[in-house]
Structures are given as structure tokens and as C-alpha cells.
Amino acid sequence: GAGVSQSPSNKVTEKGKDVELRCDPISGHTALYWYRQSLGQGLEFLIYFQGNSAPDKSGLPSDRFSAERTGGSVSTLTIQRTQQEDSAVYLCASSPGGLAEETQYFGPGTRLLVL
Amino acid sequence: GEDVEQSLFLSVREGDSSVINCTYTDSSSTYLYWYKQEPGAGLQLLTYIFSNMDMKQDQRLTVLLNKKDKHLSLRIADTQTGDSAIYFCAERETSYDKVIFGPGTSLSVIP
């Protein structure tokens, strides 16, 4: 079946512009995660959605970052007034029920370059 | 706060064993994971261990956990060139907490 998909696969933008990154989780998965992977860095947790619960936003680096998940499925990560340090690969993952022992299935990522 | 540390690089010869080490700070960590990221590919869960276990073995992979020292290791027996990848250690307290990843160890296998 289809895995986690993300779009766009690559995005180049100018400093100060807003960008929207999209994640389509595996159908039926209730948990959705956003991570950021910078060059030479590990994965940095950004935000976690579980079912209809309020999302865990503790990892968002600044108030320029926001995310929403419509209808418990597709999620959009929005970065306002992008900065060069926002350049990274943004990864989305989903898991069936959000349980810790479940595999998180990762998408291919969106490579963001802020000029 | 929580922190997960790993050495950044490891190089081994094909056929040898690889040992990738990880340390974490959160004593409440319940789940500890090893993920693999191959070049140009997404992350893949290799294995995980509960904090009440000392060891878990799965084919060529052996995970050892020293909870007292907060040290986790991944041993890959008979390392192959296809094992070349970045290996991430990660921890999670409960199903309701975020997953904290380490910086990743880049494993290079020399033919």
C-alpha cells in the first residue's frame, strides 16, 4: 500500500517568504509526527498529533512555525517569514495508534532551502 | 532536558562486527530505538528495547542496554556493505511523549 508522502520534495524560497509543507500519512494512522533534519544534525522533533487530542507543540523552534492536521489525516507545516537557518529536510512520519512500541513510518522528506 | 548522544562516525571492514554506542540522559526513558537511514532513503526502524530488558537479539542485530549507565549499543554481526548508513539512537518516555533522536552515527563498511 501507499506509504507516507510529502510535498513538495524540494522547495527553494527567499528569506522572509512563507512556505507550506504537506504530509499525507498512511491511511488509518492516527499519529503523525513532524521532524527537522539539518545538515550534520540529528532529527529534531517539531510537533506530534495523536487522534483528536491537542498536538504536542513543544518542539516548535519559534512562533513562526505552526502546523495543523485537518480531519485527522493530512497535515500542513507552515513556516512564516523564513530565515536561512530554517533550511533543512523536514520529515513527516505516521504510526497506527501513536503507541511507543509502534514503528514510525517516515516519508521521503521535503528539502527546504532558504536563500 | 533530555539529550541523546552518539559518536558521529564509525568505519569497519566487511565481515567484522560493528558496535554503535549511544548514551541518554532521561532516566525515565522507557523505549529505546535504533533507526537506520540509508543514502537517499527515509528512516527505518531496526529494533527497539524496553527499559526493563538488558538485551534483545534479532538475527544479526544485538541491542544491549545498561540502564544504570544509561548506555545503549547496537551490534551488527558480519557487517556487510549494505549496512553502510546512518544509525540513529532514540528514546521515548511513554506513548504520549515526543521521541528524542541522537545526531546519528555514520557507518562506513570497507570492502
Side-chain angles (χ1 to χ4, degrees):
Chain A
V4 176
S5 61
Q6 293 184 245
S7 61
S9 52
N10 293 281
K11 176 73 176 178
V12 180
T13 190
E14 293 179 347
K15 178 181 170 182
K17 300 280 190 185
D18 297 353
V19 295
E20 280 191 357
L21 312 179
R22 177 187 169 107
C23 173
D24 282 90
I26 293 173
S27 178
H29 281 194
T30 62
L32 187 148
Y33 308 79
W34 281 100
Y35 297 91
R36 177 168 71 174
Q37 186 174 25
S38 305
L39 186 64
Q41 303 290 320
L43 268 69
E44 177 187 3
F45 167 84
L46 297 179
I47 190 168
Y48 162 41
F49 295 91
Q50 172 52 46
N52 296 321
S53 303
D56 176 358
K57 302 180 181 181
S58 60
L60 294 177
S62 78
D63 59 8
R64 297 186 294 105
F65 287 72
S66 63
E68 60 180 28
R69 189 178 184 193
T70 53
S73 179
V74 172
S75 177
T76 302
L77 177 69
T78 301
I79 309 172
Q80 295 178 308
R81 305 181 301 282
T82 52
Q83 304 294 311
Q84 288 180 332
E85 61 262 28
D86 298 334
S87 296
V89 177
Y90 289 81
L91 293 167
C92 174
S94 71
S95 69
L99 298 178
E101 58 266 35
E102 293 171 352
T103 296
Q104 290 188 28
Y105 295 87
F106 281 80
T110 292
R111 283 158 180 76
L112 175 66
L113 178 61
V114 182
L115 301 176
Chain B
E2 310 103 332
D3 193 19
V4 178
E5 295 185 351
Q6 301 175 240
S7 53
L8 297 183
F9 301 99
L10 177 66
S11 182
V12 299
R13 293 203 173 275
E14 189 174 15
D16 289 350
S17 292
S18 308
V19 180
I20 304 171
N21 294 302
C22 167
T23 57
Y24 59 97
T25 58
D26 188 352
S27 58
S28 301
S29 297
T30 304
Y31 303 88
L32 295 138
Y33 309 87
W34 284 104
Y35 279 82
K36 177 183 180 183
Q37 185 178 37
E38 295 182 83
L43 273 82
Q44 171 193 4
L45 178 67
L46 286 178
T47 186
Y48 69 92
I49 189 170
F50 292 113
S51 59
N52 62 357
M53 297 167 66
D54 297 324
M55 186 182 84
K56 182 176 181 181
Q57 188 155 4
D58 183 4
Q59 299 183 345
R60 293 190 298 121
L61 305 179
T62 303
V63 178
L64 294 177
L65 175 61
N66 182 328
K67 195 174 180 183
K68 174 177 169 290
D69 293 337
K70 298 177 195 167
H71 181 267
L72 182 74
S73 68
L74 174 70
R75 178 177 180 268
I76 306 173
D78 187 25
T79 312
Q80 302 297 306
T81 54
D83 294 325
S84 294
I86 301 175
Y87 290 81
F88 292 92
C89 170
E91 62 94 7
R92 190 177 195 181
E93 186 171 338
T94 73
S95 296
Y96 304 100
D97 295 296
K98 61 189 179 187
V99 183
I100 307 297
F101 282 81
T105 298
S106 179
L107 173 65
S108 296
V109 181
I110 305 166

